[in-house]
Amino acid sequence: MYLVQGIWVTIKMGLIGWVIALFLGVIIGTMRISPWRWLRFLGGAYVELFRNIPFLVQLFFWYYAGPMLFGASLEKSINSIIGLNYYVAIIALGMYTASRVAEHTRAGFSSISRDHYNAALSTGLNHPQMYRYVIIPYALRIIIPTLTTEFLTIFKNSSIAMTIGVLETTFMSYKIDSETFHGLESTTGACLIYLALGLAVVGLMGILESRLKIPGMIGR
Amino acid sequence: MFDAVINNISYLMGGYWVTIKLAFFALAGGIPLGILVGLGRISRNKWVYYPVTLYVNVIRNIPLILVIFWFYFVMPIIIGSPLDPFPSAVISFIIFEATYFGEIIRAGYQSVSKGQIEAGYSTGLTYIQTTRYILIPIALRRMLPSMITQSIVTYQDTCLAFVIGLPEFVRRATIVDTLEVRSIQLFGFVAIIFLITCYIASTISRRFEIKEQEGG
Amino acid sequence: MIQIRNMSKWYGNFQVLKDINEEIKEGQTVVVCGPSGSGKSTLLRCINALEPFQKGEIIVDGQSLTDPKTNKYELRTEIGMVFQRFELYPHMTALQNITLAPMKVRKKSRKEAEEHAMRLLERVGIPEKAHEYPANLSGGQQQRVAIARSLAMEPKIMMFDEPTSALDPEMIKEVLEVMVGLCKGGMTMIVVTHEMGFAREVADEIIFMDEGSIIERGTDISFFQNPKSPRTKDFLDKILI
């Protein structure tokens, strides 16, 4: 039925958005603690911008106002892309979640002692090398629990895309109701789907955590 | 430049007022319920702990939009007549946000180290005195920043009531947009208002946090 | 080897190092002691450019730190540093900890770097722990791996910031032994420590710092038996039982 199609869309949005968010978020988080002031400022500005504006508003802005930003001629062609709402939703989701991942990454970096950074630098590594080989691998493992929460949140936020007509789970449950008036059943079904998705995410991250576990590191 | 906004400013700000009202009621109900939920999660009574834990874990896995929808459909069936969007939204929010506040309270409570409580007992204080003078003040200090953050999140979440037709800020902006098609201005305006209010609120919260750390 | 001239450093309004003057020749071992907050750790971190300083000059092996042309990253390959809390990279084995910098900075091949690392591990006495993660090593073993890690870049100078302060007493000796070996091998060393026995055995010069300034210098015997300043005497009374 419709719901099954919706689930697939939800999963795709969540996964792709998550990949964008992780990649972008770690970079921005690193920017926020880098020694260069303008990088810190840019990173901070990004985080504040995407954190303080509700996701729905961001989504609407990119979907309705976004094409207009490209000027009149491009606007028409962008608006005629089929499935535009789907792509916009994924990008918006990725950018929003990236700001949260950036904050978690920054927290992870802060929890690593200053001398750890110093130790890496004192062997002659430069800053990019230090981040890549020493700090980021360590910090990522520290923040796996908080990243799990964020991963869950991204699936929940994907439901907001229904407001711009993306055919994902929540939208489908609404559609079923409007067609068959079995709203109660369809929304309950949707609830169960999200629950199942949540369990899957927690399970997956748990496996990841045990695979990447550093022997002796402080557990949760 | 912002002519579409200015022309419709009273209509838009009327929506903002609805947003504020919704946030207010959501917090006024959500925080007290959250306290009960938090206490329930700490409780050693099986009949309290398991139902509350189930409730919290279910709600936290479901998107708020779905909760709002689900409620909008359930309520009429129970009451027998359809509900207005505003009360329905308020109740959905209270039920939803209470789980998050409950978890904050639980975390704050559990973060007070056993050592501090034992220290209280060892100087002769009773259970009630220890709870009152040691446990609660320390727990409250720990919870406060997260409570404020979560309140800001609730304020942001109000725009989701959009989906049941509540004429709040964002919905009114979309209505104006269909008329004027000045999307950049309108949604930009909405975005800026949220940006400024949330940024101010979180900055105040951070000052608070620093003060707490220095004083505490 | 190292010349420090009129060097001062502030953290905001607080002056943490006051007009430091010192010269350390090649092959010398200098021990720095003093109460906490005296600036000794900060001084070390200024020498390898981990911390900036606002006034004065530091010249290491002919290169001035205040000269904009000086490449700080290259400079750090010439100075090894060992930290109080070891700071081994927890997600890498002992061997990987040691080979990281030689491979990435000196562009050595994995084979070359690993062979060199194994030789260093033998030198510090724990070659069998090459494939262990830091969490499975004792404090003393971790610190010895940290020393090997710094030596891997074949530095001209080695600096130690309270290397044994975080160790259980029974492990202090094994680390000090490695350090004594380095001294006797001719390494230029600066050691911040409270281990006065070590100082007595190998130090060419002992510096006492307090509140950001160098209060007194001496060569071992004179320093311990006839401290000139009352503050030095006070400090020595407290730490020498």
Side-chain angles (χ1 to χ4, degrees), chain A residues 152-173:
Chain A
L152 281 169
T153 308
I154 213 179
F155 282 110
K156 289 194 280 177
N157 281 334
S158 69
S159 64
I160 299 180
M162 68 149 283
T163 56
I164 54 174
V166 175
L167 307 174
E168 52 73 60
T169 310
T170 312
F171 183 86
M172 288 308 194
S173 68

Side-chain angles (χ1 to χ4, degrees), chain B residues 32-59:
Chain B
L33 184 61
I35 294 177
L36 289 176
V37 169
L39 291 175
R41 290 272 283 150
I42 302 169
S43 162
R44 269 171 255 209
N45 182 337
K46 271 197 302 181
W47 296 108
V48 172
Y49 179 75
Y50 283 114
V52 174
T53 303
L54 184 67
Y55 159 65
V56 168
N57 281 321
V58 166
I59 301 276

